[in-house]
Amino acid sequence: MPRLAAVLRGLAVAAAALMTVTTLPSSAQAGAAQRAAPPSKAPKEFVALRAVDPTIIQEMRYFTPHNFLGVPVDGYRRPKCLLTRDAANALHRAQLSFLKRGFSLKVYDCYRPQRAVDHFVRWAKDLDDQRMKAEFYPQEDKTKLFDDGYIAAKSGHSRGSTLDVTLVRLPAVPTRPYVPGEPLTPCYGPRAERFPDNSLDMGTGFDCFDTLAHTLDPRIHGRQLRNRLLLKNGLERAGFVNLPEEWWHYTFKPETFPDTYFDFPVR
Protein backbone atom coordinates (compact mmCIF):
# COMPACT_ATOMS: atom_id res chain seq x y z
CA MET A 1 0.00 0.00 0.00
CA PRO A 2 2.71 2.57 0.81
CA ARG A 3 4.24 1.91 -2.61
CA LEU A 4 0.81 2.26 -4.30
CA ALA A 5 0.16 5.50 -2.43
CA ALA A 6 3.48 6.87 -3.60
CA VAL A 7 2.67 5.94 -7.18
CA LEU A 8 -0.73 7.62 -6.94
CA ARG A 9 0.82 10.76 -5.46
CA GLY A 10 3.34 10.82 -8.31
CA LEU A 11 0.56 10.52 -10.87
CA ALA A 12 -1.34 13.36 -9.20
CA VAL A 13 1.72 15.62 -9.29
CA ALA A 14 2.33 14.79 -12.95
CA ALA A 15 -1.29 15.51 -13.83
CA ALA A 16 -1.16 18.86 -12.05
CA ALA A 17 2.02 19.76 -13.88
CA LEU A 18 0.45 18.79 -17.21
CA MET A 19 -2.59 20.96 -16.47
CA THR A 20 -0.29 23.88 -15.70
CA VAL A 21 1.56 23.46 -18.98
CA THR A 22 -1.60 23.20 -21.07
CA THR A 23 -3.57 25.97 -19.40
CA LEU A 24 -0.84 28.56 -18.84
CA PRO A 25 0.93 29.63 -22.06
CA SER A 26 4.71 29.73 -22.06
CA SER A 27 6.51 32.88 -23.11
CA ALA A 28 6.87 31.38 -26.58
CA GLN A 29 3.14 30.64 -26.70
CA ALA A 30 2.41 34.16 -25.51
CA GLY A 31 4.65 35.55 -28.21
CA ALA A 32 2.85 33.49 -30.83
CA ALA A 33 -0.48 34.77 -29.54
CA GLN A 34 0.80 38.34 -29.82
CA ARG A 35 1.89 37.73 -33.41
CA ALA A 36 -1.49 36.22 -34.26
CA ALA A 37 -3.37 39.24 -32.90
CA PRO A 38 -1.19 42.35 -33.35
CA PRO A 39 -2.39 45.62 -31.82
CA SER A 40 -4.72 47.86 -33.85
CA LYS A 41 -2.71 50.97 -32.93
CA ALA A 42 0.93 51.71 -33.56
CA PRO A 43 3.21 50.68 -30.68
CA LYS A 44 5.33 53.41 -29.10
CA GLU A 45 8.36 52.10 -31.01
CA PHE A 46 6.87 53.43 -34.28
CA VAL A 47 7.42 57.03 -35.42
CA ALA A 48 6.53 59.20 -38.38
CA LEU A 49 9.66 59.59 -40.50
CA ARG A 50 8.91 63.28 -41.00
CA ALA A 51 9.26 63.84 -37.24
CA VAL A 52 12.76 62.33 -37.36
CA ASP A 53 13.93 63.76 -40.68
CA PRO A 54 11.67 66.17 -42.60
CA THR A 55 14.22 66.48 -45.44
CA ILE A 56 13.65 62.94 -46.77
CA ILE A 57 11.25 63.10 -49.73
CA GLN A 58 8.09 61.02 -49.42
CA GLU A 59 6.22 59.75 -52.49
CA MET A 60 3.93 57.16 -50.94
CA ARG A 61 2.77 55.20 -53.97
CA TYR A 62 0.23 52.92 -52.32
CA PHE A 63 -1.82 55.89 -51.15
CA THR A 64 -2.28 56.73 -54.83
CA PRO A 65 -3.53 54.74 -57.85
CA HIS A 66 -0.04 54.77 -59.40
CA ASN A 67 0.99 51.27 -58.37
CA PHE A 68 0.71 47.76 -59.79
CA LEU A 69 -2.91 47.45 -58.59
CA GLY A 70 -4.02 50.72 -60.16
CA VAL A 71 -6.01 51.80 -57.07
CA PRO A 72 -5.17 53.14 -53.59
CA VAL A 73 -4.26 50.21 -51.35
CA ASP A 74 -6.17 49.16 -48.23
CA GLY A 75 -4.74 50.55 -45.00
CA TYR A 76 -3.12 53.70 -46.39
CA ARG A 77 -5.28 56.50 -45.00
CA ARG A 78 -2.53 59.11 -45.22
CA PRO A 79 0.51 59.48 -47.52
CA LYS A 80 2.84 59.05 -44.58
CA CYS A 81 5.98 57.02 -43.92
CA LEU A 82 5.91 55.18 -40.58
CA LEU A 83 8.92 53.21 -39.33
CA THR A 84 10.31 51.82 -36.13
CA ARG A 85 12.37 54.45 -34.38
CA ASP A 86 15.61 52.51 -34.91
CA ALA A 87 15.02 52.32 -38.66
CA ALA A 88 14.01 56.00 -38.87
CA ASN A 89 17.11 57.12 -36.96
CA ALA A 90 19.33 55.00 -39.21
CA LEU A 91 17.69 56.47 -42.32
CA HIS A 92 18.33 59.95 -40.91
CA ARG A 93 22.03 59.12 -40.58
CA ALA A 94 22.13 57.94 -44.17
CA GLN A 95 20.32 61.08 -45.32
CA LEU A 96 22.90 63.34 -43.69
CA SER A 97 25.60 61.58 -45.67
CA PHE A 98 23.71 61.84 -48.96
CA LEU A 99 22.86 65.51 -48.44
CA LYS A 100 26.55 66.33 -48.23
CA ARG A 101 26.92 64.82 -51.72
CA GLY A 102 23.99 66.69 -53.24
CA PHE A 103 21.38 63.93 -53.02
CA SER A 104 18.28 63.18 -50.99
CA LEU A 105 16.63 59.90 -50.15
CA LYS A 106 13.06 59.41 -51.35
CA VAL A 107 10.77 56.73 -49.91
CA TYR A 108 8.01 55.01 -51.89
CA ASP A 109 6.75 52.80 -49.07
CA CYS A 110 7.61 52.16 -45.42
CA TYR A 111 5.49 50.33 -42.85
CA ARG A 112 2.81 48.34 -44.70
CA PRO A 113 -0.29 47.08 -42.82
CA GLN A 114 -1.15 43.41 -43.16
CA ARG A 115 -4.48 44.46 -44.69
CA ALA A 116 -2.52 46.03 -47.55
CA VAL A 117 -0.65 42.76 -48.10
CA ASP A 118 -4.01 40.96 -48.08
CA HIS A 119 -5.16 43.43 -50.77
CA PHE A 120 -2.13 42.48 -52.87
CA VAL A 121 -3.01 38.80 -52.52
CA ARG A 122 -6.65 39.31 -53.55
CA TRP A 123 -5.52 41.34 -56.56
CA ALA A 124 -3.01 38.68 -57.61
CA LYS A 125 -5.74 36.03 -57.60
CA ASP A 126 -8.01 38.17 -59.79
CA LEU A 127 -6.56 37.27 -63.18
CA ASP A 128 -9.04 39.52 -65.00
CA ASP A 129 -7.59 42.68 -63.41
CA GLN A 130 -4.51 43.51 -65.45
CA ARG A 131 -5.04 47.26 -65.90
CA MET A 132 -1.45 48.12 -64.86
CA LYS A 133 0.32 45.24 -66.61
CA ALA A 134 1.79 47.38 -69.38
CA GLU A 135 3.86 49.34 -66.85
CA PHE A 136 4.61 47.13 -63.87
CA TYR A 137 4.73 43.54 -65.20
CA PRO A 138 4.78 43.61 -69.03
CA GLN A 139 6.57 40.26 -69.38
CA GLU A 140 5.32 38.56 -66.20
CA ASP A 141 2.43 36.10 -66.36
CA LYS A 142 0.07 37.09 -63.56
CA THR A 143 -0.59 33.43 -62.78
CA LYS A 144 3.07 33.14 -61.70
CA LEU A 145 3.28 36.14 -59.35
CA PHE A 146 3.29 33.93 -56.24
CA ASP A 147 5.69 31.32 -57.60
CA ASP A 148 8.11 33.98 -58.83
CA GLY A 149 8.09 35.74 -55.44
CA TYR A 150 6.54 39.05 -56.46
CA ILE A 151 3.50 38.55 -54.21
CA ALA A 152 3.43 36.79 -50.81
CA ALA A 153 1.00 36.42 -47.92
CA LYS A 154 3.44 38.17 -45.56
CA SER A 155 5.76 41.12 -46.03
CA GLY A 156 8.72 42.35 -44.01
CA HIS A 157 7.26 45.84 -44.43
CA SER A 158 4.58 44.90 -41.89
CA ARG A 159 7.27 44.57 -39.21
CA GLY A 160 8.17 48.26 -39.49
CA SER A 161 11.89 48.22 -40.32
CA THR A 162 11.67 47.74 -44.10
CA LEU A 163 11.24 50.45 -46.70
CA ASP A 164 11.32 51.06 -50.46
CA VAL A 165 13.69 53.89 -51.26
CA THR A 166 15.63 55.66 -54.00
CA LEU A 167 17.85 58.72 -54.49
CA VAL A 168 17.02 62.16 -55.93
CA ARG A 169 19.54 64.74 -57.11
CA LEU A 170 19.08 68.13 -55.43
CA PRO A 171 17.41 70.47 -55.99
CA ALA A 172 14.52 68.05 -56.46
CA VAL A 173 11.98 68.60 -59.22
CA PRO A 174 8.58 67.18 -58.25
CA THR A 175 7.34 64.11 -60.10
CA ARG A 176 4.17 64.87 -62.04
CA PRO A 177 0.98 63.17 -60.83
CA TYR A 178 -0.19 59.97 -62.49
CA VAL A 179 -3.51 60.30 -64.35
CA PRO A 180 -5.59 57.10 -64.12
CA GLY A 181 -6.19 55.70 -67.59
CA GLU A 182 -3.20 57.40 -69.20
CA PRO A 183 -1.09 55.31 -71.61
CA LEU A 184 1.38 53.06 -69.78
CA THR A 185 4.96 52.24 -70.74
CA PRO A 186 7.18 49.37 -69.51
CA CYS A 187 8.97 49.95 -66.20
CA TYR A 188 12.20 48.57 -67.67
CA GLY A 189 12.24 50.76 -70.80
CA PRO A 190 14.68 53.60 -71.45
CA ARG A 191 14.45 56.35 -68.86
CA ALA A 192 12.97 58.82 -71.35
CA GLU A 193 10.14 56.37 -72.11
CA ARG A 194 9.27 55.29 -68.56
CA PHE A 195 6.80 57.13 -66.34
CA PRO A 196 8.69 60.26 -65.21
CA ASP A 197 10.33 60.03 -61.80
CA ASN A 198 12.62 62.62 -60.23
CA SER A 199 14.92 59.89 -58.88
CA LEU A 200 18.27 58.89 -60.31
CA ASP A 201 18.11 56.43 -63.20
CA MET A 202 18.21 53.00 -61.57
CA GLY A 203 17.53 51.06 -64.77
CA THR A 204 13.89 50.30 -63.93
CA GLY A 205 11.04 52.04 -62.21
CA PHE A 206 9.88 51.24 -58.69
CA ASP A 207 7.94 47.96 -58.25
CA CYS A 208 9.05 46.62 -61.62
CA PHE A 209 8.18 42.92 -61.69
CA ASP A 210 11.15 41.93 -63.82
CA THR A 211 14.55 40.35 -63.22
CA LEU A 212 16.13 43.57 -64.51
CA ALA A 213 15.15 45.04 -61.11
CA HIS A 214 17.56 42.65 -59.35
CA THR A 215 20.09 44.94 -57.72
CA LEU A 216 23.17 43.44 -59.38
CA ASP A 217 21.61 42.13 -62.59
CA PRO A 218 24.53 41.86 -65.07
CA ARG A 219 22.55 43.74 -67.74
CA ILE A 220 22.68 46.85 -65.55
CA HIS A 221 25.89 48.78 -66.08
CA GLY A 222 27.33 52.24 -66.43
CA ARG A 223 25.52 55.09 -64.71
CA GLN A 224 22.53 52.94 -63.74
CA LEU A 225 24.78 50.50 -61.86
CA ARG A 226 26.71 53.34 -60.22
CA ASN A 227 23.43 54.83 -59.01
CA ARG A 228 22.29 51.52 -57.53
CA LEU A 229 25.61 51.06 -55.78
CA LEU A 230 25.56 54.64 -54.49
CA LEU A 231 22.23 53.92 -52.81
CA LYS A 232 23.28 50.47 -51.63
CA ASN A 233 26.63 51.46 -50.15
CA GLY A 234 25.21 54.50 -48.37
CA LEU A 235 22.36 52.56 -46.78
CA GLU A 236 24.56 49.61 -45.84
CA ARG A 237 26.87 51.94 -43.92
CA ALA A 238 23.81 52.99 -41.89
CA GLY A 239 22.87 49.39 -41.07
CA PHE A 240 20.43 48.51 -43.85
CA VAL A 241 20.41 45.26 -45.84
CA ASN A 242 19.26 45.11 -49.46
CA LEU A 243 16.90 42.49 -50.88
CA PRO A 244 18.87 41.32 -53.96
CA GLU A 245 15.72 40.93 -56.08
CA GLU A 246 14.68 44.59 -55.66
CA TRP A 247 17.13 47.48 -55.92
CA TRP A 248 14.74 49.69 -53.89
CA HIS A 249 14.04 47.31 -50.95
CA TYR A 250 16.02 47.71 -47.68
CA THR A 251 15.64 46.45 -44.12
CA PHE A 252 17.33 47.88 -41.04
CA LYS A 253 18.99 45.19 -38.93
CA PRO A 254 18.53 44.12 -36.21
CA GLU A 255 14.78 44.61 -36.58
CA THR A 256 12.86 45.98 -33.60
CA PHE A 257 10.04 43.50 -34.29
CA PRO A 258 11.60 40.56 -36.16
CA ASP A 259 8.57 38.26 -35.78
CA THR A 260 5.52 40.54 -35.53
CA TYR A 261 3.38 41.54 -38.52
CA PHE A 262 1.27 44.58 -37.64
CA ASP A 263 -2.05 45.63 -39.15
CA PHE A 264 -2.76 49.12 -37.78
CA PRO A 265 -3.55 51.55 -40.65
CA VAL A 266 -1.24 54.32 -41.81
CA ARG A 267 -2.95 57.42 -40.48
Side-chain angles (χ1 to χ4, degrees):
M1 287 298 293
R3 179 177 299 177
L4 178 59
V7 171
L8 291 175
R9 283 196 300 271
L11 290 174
V13 170
L18 180 60
M19 289 179 64
T20 301
V21 170
T22 56
T23 58
L24 295 177
S26 65
S27 58
Q29 290 170 321
Q34 180 186 13
R35 291 191 293 273
S40 59
K41 294 183 179 180
K44 60 181 177 59
E45 291 86 355
F46 277 77
V47 296
L49 176 61
R50 200 171 301 281
V52 176
D53 192 322
T55 70
I56 296 175
I57 300 169
Q58 299 189 27
E59 187 180 312
M60 310 307 292
R61 287 286 188 89
Y62 298 139
F63 180 76
T64 79
H66 190 212
N67 57 66
F68 58 87
L69 284 75
V71 296
V73 179
D74 290 355
Y76 291 87
R77 301 180 185 176
R78 293 288 185 275
K80 177 184 292 187
C81 172
L82 302 181
L83 288 169
T84 57
R85 186 175 299 278
D86 288 342
N89 287 338
L91 201 64
H92 169 64
R93 293 194 296 272
Q95 173 74 342
L96 293 178
S97 176
F98 284 123
L99 288 174
K100 294 176 182 178
R101 304 177 67 176
F103 302 100
S104 173
L105 291 165
K106 180 175 81 170
V107 292
Y108 294 113
D109 191 36
C110 300
Y111 159 72
R112 182 183 304 165
Q114 180 60 45
R115 68 191 72 185
V117 180
D118 295 341
H119 193 175
F120 291 176
V121 171
R122 292 194 306 274
W123 167 83
K125 292 178 179 179
D126 182 1
L127 301 183
D128 293 330
D129 183 356
Q130 304 207 25
R131 74 187 81 177
M132 303 300 285
K133 179 178 176 63
E135 178 174 353
F136 291 95
Y137 53 107
Q139 299 188 95
E140 176 71 13
D141 186 338
K142 195 174 180 183
T143 63
K144 298 180 179 179
L145 289 177
F146 291 99
D147 291 340
D148 291 347
Y150 293 114
I151 300 294
K154 294 289 184 182
S155 169
H157 282 270
S158 301
R159 301 194 296 263
S161 295
T162 294
L163 66 152
D164 297 329
V165 61
T166 188
L167 280 173
V168 175
R169 186 181 299 277
L170 296 174
V173 177
T175 298
R176 74 163 176 85
Y178 163 76
V179 179
E182 70 175 84
L184 302 176
T185 57
C187 55
Y188 51 72
R191 178 181 177 85
E193 298 177 10
R194 300 195 301 264
F195 183 87
D197 191 318
N198 61 0
S199 70
L200 300 183
D201 184 7
M202 298 291 184
T204 77
F206 164 61
D207 259 357
C208 190
F209 293 0
D210 192 273
T211 55
L212 200 64
H214 293 190
T215 307
L216 299 179
D217 187 284
R219 294 168 293 174
I220 297 295
H221 48 79
R223 179 171 297 179
Q224 295 173 342
L225 178 60
R226 291 195 297 272
N227 290 340
R228 290 188 183 190
L229 293 178
L230 176 65
L231 177 66
K232 184 173 185 287
N233 293 337
L235 289 176
E236 285 179 345
R237 285 194 294 270
F240 289 89
V241 177
N242 175 239
L243 178 69
E245 291 76 20
E246 298 177 349
W247 61 257
W248 55 82
H249 182 117
Y250 286 84
T251 300
F252 179 71
K253 298 291 184 75
E255 294 184 63
T256 306
F257 297 102
D259 301 310
T260 306
Y261 296 83
F262 294 98
D263 191 37
F264 57 86
V266 178
R267 57 188 177 188

